Structures are given as C-alpha cells and as structure tokens.
Amino acid sequence: MGIQQKTEETASVSYEHRNGVAILTIDNPPVNAGSHGVRMGVVQGIERATAEGVSSVVLIGAGRCFVAGSDLKEFGKPLQWPQLPDVIAAIEAAPFPVIAALHGVALGGGLELALGCDYRIAATGTKVGLPEVSLGFVPGAGGTQRLPRLVGLAKGIELICNAARIDAQAALAIGLVDAMAQGDLLDAALAFAIQHPTKRPVRGMTPPAETAKVIDAAAQTAMRRGKGRPNVAEAIRLVRLAAEPDMDAALAEERAVFQAMRVAPDAVALRYLFFAERRAAMVDGLEASARAAIATVGVIGGGTMGQGIARAFLQAGLSVRLVEREDESLTRAISQIGAHLDGLLAKGRIGAAQRRAQGEALIGATDYAGLADCDLVIEAVFEDMAVKREVLARLEPILDSGTLIATNTSYLDIDQMGEALARPDRLLGLHFFSPADVMPLLEVVRAGATSDTTLATGLALARKLGKQPVVARVGEGFIGNRIYAAYRRRAELLVLDGAAPEDVDAAATAFGFAMGPFAVSDMSGLDIAWAMRKRQAATRPAEARYVAIPDRLCEAGRLGRKTGKGWYNYSSGKAQPDPEVEAIIRAERAKAGITPLPFDMAQIQRQLLAAIVNEAACLLSEGIAQRASDVDVVFVNGYGFPRWRGGPLYWASLEPAAMIAADLADLAGAIGFGHTQGPVAQVLDEIRSLKSN
C-alpha cells in the first residue's frame, strides 16, 4: 500500500496526509502551550482536512508532550479568535472523527482540547488533569461539562476541584482515555483511527448514573479542601450542570464564569505566583551544568527530620544510606520509616511494588564507611555548630572527591561549617521543611565557597524530588526562618502588649494562613526557637525589647504538642487556652510594667504582615534572597501563607502606600530599640514591575 505524504507548516501546527488520514502536529516548544497560533493552526488544519475529504484526523503533539496547557501570558489580555471553544466546536462539527494522541502531559486547555475530540489514545506515562482551580479560576473550554460525561459527576468534582493529575492507566480505568498505545504513539493512533471510523463527540454522552448522596459528598469534600474559595464553589456548580440536558447553555455559563474569574484577584495573584515559582528555580548568571545524576544519597541522623529526608529521597526513587550513632537508634529509625511506608500502602498512596522497592532501597549503618559510595551526603543532626562541624570533618575523608556534602541546618552559618572541610566548594545547604517528604519547599543555600556545579546539582536534585527550590545566601535563618522569626517576634510582642495568643492565631487564620504562629510553635516544638534565643543571648542588646513568655513556657516543660502543653493545653486532644499560660503572660506584663491594650483582628493582621514585609526588605537589601518574588514563593510553599493572596510582598504591593507606611511606623514603635527599617517601597516596586510583565 503506497503512502501519500504532504507537509506544511501553519502557525505552530503542521499538516500531513497519510492514506486518507490527516495528521495535525502541534509544535510550539517547549511545552506546546495552546497559544493563539496553535489554536488557529488546528482550526485551519480541520478546515483543510474537510476540504480534502479525509476519513479521520489524528491530533498529536511534537516534542515532549501533547499540550501542557493554555498560554497563561494571554490570560490577562482579551483573547483572540479562535478561542479554545471555537477550536473544539470546529472539531465537533467536522464530518470525520478526530483522535487525540496524548503523550507527556495533557493539562488544562490541553486536556479540554483532547476532550473535544472523538477519541483519546495515550502513551504509557502520560499525565492528564485540569489544574485551573489551583490557578484561581475554572476550566473554560468545556472541561466541567465533558469530563463528567465520561467519568461521572462525583469523580469530575474530585479531579477538577483538586486540580489532580492522573496517569494514563488511571485515566483509562475511569474512561477518560479510550486506549493505551503499544509501541509508537502515532502508529498506534493511525491504527486506532482505522478501527474507529465513526464520530463520537463527548457532548452526545450522558454522565454515568450516580446517587445524589455520592455527588454531595464529593462536593462537600472539595469545598473543605478548597477552603471555600469562590472558584471551587463555581467549579462544583458547573460540574453539576453536566447532568442537565442543555449542554450549550451549560457551556455558555462555564465560559462566562471562566472569563470573569481569569481576571479576578485570586487568578491574577495565582498567575503571578505561577511565574514566580518558575523564576525561583533559576539563578541569574549560573551557567554550570549539574554533575552526573544523583542515584545514592546518605543521610546522617535518623531523628524526625532525618527520617523525613530519607523518605523524600526514597519516594523519588533514590537509594538511601541512613547512619545513626548506635544500633538501637538505627533500628528505631528504620522501623519507623518502614511503618510510615506501610501506612502509605494501607491508604493506597503507594502500591505493593513501590513499598517493596523503597524498603529495599534503604540501608542502615552505624559507621560512616557505609556512605563511601554515595553521590551526596546530607547531615541532619542536632542543630549545634560544634556537632555539625565534627560530623563534616569525620565525613569528608571517607567520601569520593566528587561526592557532594549538604547540611539541613535551619539557622546556622554554613560558611563556618565549611571551615571544617578541605573542599568547601562541594558543600551547600539543603534546608528541608518538616515533614520533609510532604512539604514542597526546599531552600538551596549557596555558601561563599559553594561551586556553581554544586549549586546546579542541588537545583537538579530539588527537581528530582519534586520540590520547589528557592536559592538563598548564608544568613541567620536564610530566607524563610529569618522572616518567620520576625513574624513570630511581632506576634509575641502583641501578646506582651495585650493580645491573647488565641486572638493572634485567629487573626492569622482568618487572613488565610494555614495555622496561627502560636499553634505552629506548639506543633514544631518551642525548644527549637528557645535554643536559638539562648545562642543569641550574648549578643542581644540590653535595651532591646525581649519577650520572655516563651522562655517561661519552656522552663515549665511546656514544649508544645510533644509534651501535651505549650501555648495551649492539648489534654482534650484539641488546642485549648490554658490558665497557666495566662498567668505567665500576666506576670511578664507586670514585670515589664505594661498595661494591656486592646487589639482588633485587623490591627493584628496588619502588624503580622508588616513584620514579614519589613524583614523581607531587609534581607533582600543584604542579598540573602535573589529577588523579591522568591520571598513570596518561600512563604506560600513553606509557611502556610494563602496561595490566593500571591505572597506577603504581592499582597503589600496592592495595599495603599499610606497604609503600608502607617503599618511600618506602628511596627517600629512596637519593636523600639534596634529596629531596622527595610527598603520596603523599593521592594514593592520590584513586585509591581514583575506583575506588569
């Protein structure tokens, strides 16, 4: 059988004709974003295929994926014809079936485009999903209507509201794709086209039958997980419309909601954050390549943090050598990691094969010699400079000259640690956030001697782990903990001056923080910050205002949840205000000669935010962070700042300048001696310039 072949480039989409089947190949590197050129190219390709009388069309992506989503850079502007619904309408109106051949990812508008086709065939490893809710809006090209017609309303609510990505095998199981490609994807799609010669638009389908109870339960879960944000509520409402017979009316309603929400404050903030997160993973002027891929890592220290780091490496498919001081501690750490993996298996979060592979990839040792074959070793021992320097000095002679060394320190000076090494150029900070296998943020700390190759390798490792990296220079607490210390200090001063801890926490959570500062202290343990304060005591000016309340709590054995008491009492299982804490607060106020003042929620919120914004400006002026948007990325991904607000600096950039100035004046008055005013106006101008680009 002969093959006729014609090829022509048309606005990011090529056209090829093989034996009566037209192949439209989307080629818009790097991720085939659904730009105006792509949309126009698909429409023109469908028109040409119609004119040539083809029997079928295969729509496929060039390069590494099908379509990774719409071009977000277009979302702040009026959208040009053809918009994605116009493209899908052309596909549905075509006299032949259109088969979407998926590989890599098909996300957002990419998946909606595929849903607008008659059939979907996917290569192994393909990921599909509708992430629009995580970006502040809703699917706008039929996702809320076509997806539920294939998978059901309850599953549609779950996938859309969770912005979930699922693999092709899972998509096949629920009817989202029709077949898996065996061998070459294009060849499989062409064969599939021959076997399926009739049209089958999703718009003609009826959603699978479900009870109202099941759908309502999915909606309630989605609203709870989505913290009641308006786009989540609208997504649920729109998915429910898929059960109604008038799909055209539902599509029009979906598009109207999408058009309004894509330029609403939540979506604009989340779009800013989307690009900020990508910028944070890049270092200006860094041209070095990462060393060979890291396959085996060593973790020194099997405590809570060390175990979390080990789990993070294991779930990324790396081999782990875990070192503890004695057999008892090692056995306990290995057992606890195993129990955690068993829990994930029982919950269905990993399969039996993954559980077995991760268990086999973990090897314990009580001798540093067990780390000799590692590509990278990270220490996660007690937060004490002398201890860490001793560990590094013992470690270096055992390692190959190319092995990287990392520290998980939260506060300490990595330059001082490097003095214990003959080769400090291979030392960097990898500051994980607890629990390390769950929290997305990873501060990659570049010490003074860290080489470009070491830094590039640390960033590559972060990507391998699926983490959000942010690069920091050496400084007390780096980016996140330094700013958080200022935030916590302002919270403690508010309590000293008259606010109740529970009122401060309530104000923070009402603003959108996942937890208030005192609840966070109890969860992480008050002794961590206590150790830092004791370390700083010798250099603390006597004139500086100092809040001793948390010290008194620690002295009373109130170290947080782990002791059942901290800022709150947990004897009932829930955080409850405690008269003992109230008594300590009253005593410290009396000692300082303070008459308690009333603070309303707005005052508390603005002062907490002022502390964050001012400290961020200070560290930016010192070069600890590379760019202002990196601070927003850190606070959103590591400290529970609400994503829909974009980050603390983004939030401040939207506030009237006079209000920010007043907040900063109040902050300076509350802190008193030693307060440093950062270049806030300059930093907020940087954020505004990023938003306008």
Side-chain angles (χ1 to χ4, degrees):
M1 182 170 62
I3 295 177
Q4 297 179 1
Q5 182 168 312
K6 302 175 184 177
T7 302
E8 177 183 299
E9 290 295 333
T10 307
S12 304
V13 178
S14 66
Y15 184 98
E16 182 181 339
H17 190 169
R18 292 190 192 178
N19 292 335
V21 178
I23 303 164
L24 301 184
T25 303
I26 298 169
D27 190 5
N28 187 24
V31 294
N32 291 337
S35 64
H36 176 255
V38 167
R39 299 193 301 271
M40 182 65 79
V42 174
V43 168
Q44 292 176 348
I46 294 295
E47 290 174 347
R48 178 173 173 179
T50 302
E52 294 185 358
V54 304
S55 60
S56 301
V57 165
V58 170
L59 186 60
I60 193 169
R64 64 197 209 206
C65 64
F66 179 68
V67 174
S70 299
D71 188 344
L72 287 181
K73 293 179 181 177
E74 295 183 359
F75 273 36
K77 310 168 186 175
L79 297 179
Q80 296 177 275
W81 188 93
Q83 297 181 30
L84 187 52
D86 302 316
V87 178
I88 293 172
I91 290 172
E92 289 182 332
F96 41 72
V98 179
I99 295 92
L102 313 179
H103 78 288
V105 295
L107 302 174
L111 180 56
E112 288 183 297
L113 177 61
L115 290 169
C117 297
D118 298 278
Y119 303 95
R120 286 148 297 283
I121 182 171
T124 301
T126 304
K127 299 281 188 180
V128 300
L130 295 172
E132 288 85 352
V133 166
S134 69
L135 292 169
F137 49 101
V138 298
T144 66
Q145 301 307 301
R146 293 185 179 89
L147 181 71
R149 281 172 164 76
L150 291 172
V151 306
L153 270 66
K155 194 67 175 178
I157 288 171
E158 176 192 331
L159 293 176
I160 291 172
C161 293
N162 290 350
R165 296 187 184 193
I166 60 173
D167 62 31
Q169 202 66 48
L172 179 68
I174 61 176
L176 183 52
V177 301
D178 300 295
M180 297 290 293
Q182 304 300 320
D184 182 77
L185 175 61
L186 180 56
D187 289 345
L190 291 169
F192 186 93
I194 294 170
Q195 297 161 6
H196 298 80
T198 58
K199 284 193 72 65
R200 192 201 60 169
V202 176
R203 69 156 41 239
M205 301 178 183
T206 301
E210 296 171 282
T211 66
K213 183 178 180 181
V214 169
I215 297 169
D216 289 345
Q220 290 167 8
T221 299
M223 282 297 288
R224 184 175 66 253
R225 289 180 176 174
K227 301 185 185 299
R229 299 308 298 167
N231 64 323
V232 177
E234 284 289 74
I236 293 168
R237 182 178 70 83
L238 291 168
V239 170
R240 288 183 182 275
L241 291 180
E244 303 296 325
D246 191 346
M247 183 171 176
D248 287 333
L251 286 172
E253 178 69 9
E254 177 199 67
R255 193 64 179 175
V257 172
F258 163 79
Q259 294 285 35
M261 284 194 158
R262 73 180 174 88
V263 293
D266 279 20
V268 176
L270 288 163
R271 203 149 54 239
Y272 156 82
L273 190 60
F274 175 88
F275 291 111
E277 288 174 337
R278 277 142 189 79
R279 280 192 297 269
M282 298 181 287
V283 177
D284 296 341
L286 181 65
E287 297 180 357
S289 299
R291 54 153 286 173
I294 289 176
T296 303
V297 296
V299 179
I300 302 176
T304 300
M305 183 55 76
Q307 289 180 35
I309 293 171
R311 295 195 303 266
F313 288 137
L314 290 171
Q315 71 184 22
L318 304 177
S319 296
V320 176
R321 308 285 186 265
L322 180 64
V323 172
E324 256 293 355
R325 288 175 297 179
E326 68 278 328
D327 289 335
E328 183 180 352
S329 298
L330 179 64
T331 300
R332 181 169 57 251
I334 296 288
S335 175
Q336 289 172 344
I337 292 172
H340 180 86
L341 294 176
D342 289 340
L344 294 179
L345 177 63
K347 294 174 183 176
R349 295 180 182 173
I350 59 174
Q354 287 176 288
R355 168 63 183 92
R356 183 170 56 255
Q358 291 187 33
E360 292 172 352
L362 177 63
I363 297 175
T366 55
D367 189 328
Y368 283 19
L371 303 172
D373 65 339
C374 291
D375 302 307
L376 176 144
V377 177
I378 181 169
E379 68 77 18
V381 299
F382 187 67
E383 189 77 345
D384 179 271
M385 179 62 77
V387 173
K388 290 181 182 290
R389 282 172 62 100
E390 180 187 358
V391 166
L392 297 185
R394 287 180 55 201
L395 175 65
E396 187 178 34
I398 295 166
L399 301 179
D400 180 82
S401 61
T403 302
L404 301 188
I405 302 174
T407 171
N408 183 57
T409 182
S410 301
Y411 290 98
L412 300 178
D413 187 333
I414 301 177
D415 289 332
Q416 288 187 30
M417 287 186 208
E419 294 171 0
L421 298 175
R423 285 269 318 280
D425 61 294
R426 57 171 163 170
L427 174 67
L428 80 164
L430 293 177
H431 179 213
F432 288 83
F433 289 71
S434 186
D437 54 330
V438 174
M439 292 294 287
L441 181 64
L442 179 61
E443 283 185 318
V444 180
V445 186
R446 184 179 198 172
T450 302
S451 73
D452 285 357
T453 298
T454 298
L455 180 61
T457 306
L459 290 168
L461 177 61
R463 291 190 289 272
K464 174 75 172 176
L465 297 176
K467 299 296 186 184
Q468 171 62 63
V470 178
V471 176
R473 287 285 189 178
V474 173
E476 179 78 27
F478 312 121
I479 300 172
N481 279 347
R482 171 167 166 182
I483 297 174
Y484 195 83
Y487 165 77
R488 184 177 57 235
R489 183 187 182 200
R490 186 67 189 100
E492 292 167 355
L493 281 168
L494 283 164
V495 169
L496 184 64
D497 288 337
E502 58 270 24
D503 291 340
V504 175
D505 278 356
T509 55
F511 181 82
F513 277 93
M515 297 175 69
F518 299 112
V520 170
S521 291
D522 278 357
M523 183 178 70
S524 59
L526 275 68
D527 50 327
I528 298 174
W530 190 30
M532 179 189 68
R533 290 192 300 274
K534 288 190 287 187
R535 178 166 48 83
Q536 296 173 336
T539 57
R540 186 182 303 120
E543 303 92 334
R545 291 193 75 193
Y546 182 73
V547 182
I549 297 169
D551 295 350
R552 302 291 91 80
L553 296 177
C554 291
E555 290 163 2
R558 304 181 66 102
L559 303 182
R561 285 182 176 270
K562 60 188 174 186
T563 59
K565 293 180 180 181
W567 286 95
Y568 298 101
N569 188 314
Y570 296 91
S571 58
S572 67
K574 296 182 178 180
Q576 299 289 340
D578 193 325
E580 184 180 345
V581 175
E582 294 173 11
I584 290 173
I585 292 171
R586 285 196 303 270
E588 289 302 314
R589 285 173 181 163
K591 189 182 299 182
I594 290 172
T595 300
L597 298 172
F599 293 95
D600 62 29
M601 180 173 287
Q603 288 175 300
I604 294 171
Q605 289 173 342
R606 298 197 70 86
Q607 279 300 284
L608 293 177
L609 268 294
I612 292 172
V613 169
N614 185 69
E615 196 66 24
C618 289
L619 71 83
L620 282 161
S621 70
E622 298 165 20
I624 303 300
Q626 184 179 192
R627 55 182 75 88
S629 59
D630 288 359
V631 172
D632 287 334
V633 173
V634 166
F635 253 72
V636 166
N637 286 281
Y639 295 89
F641 193 92
R643 288 189 70 86
W644 65 86
R645 292 190 184 272
L649 297 180
Y650 178 91
W651 168 84
S653 74
L654 300 175
E655 293 293 292
M659 292 186 69
I660 294 295
D663 294 338
L664 294 172
D666 289 345
L667 175 70
I671 293 177
F673 180 86
H675 173 71
T676 300
Q677 174 68 56
V680 171
Q682 177 183 335
V683 167
L684 298 187
D685 282 344
E686 181 182 335
I687 294 291
R688 293 185 189 101
S689 69
L690 287 172
K691 291 190 301 183
S692 64
N693 291 335

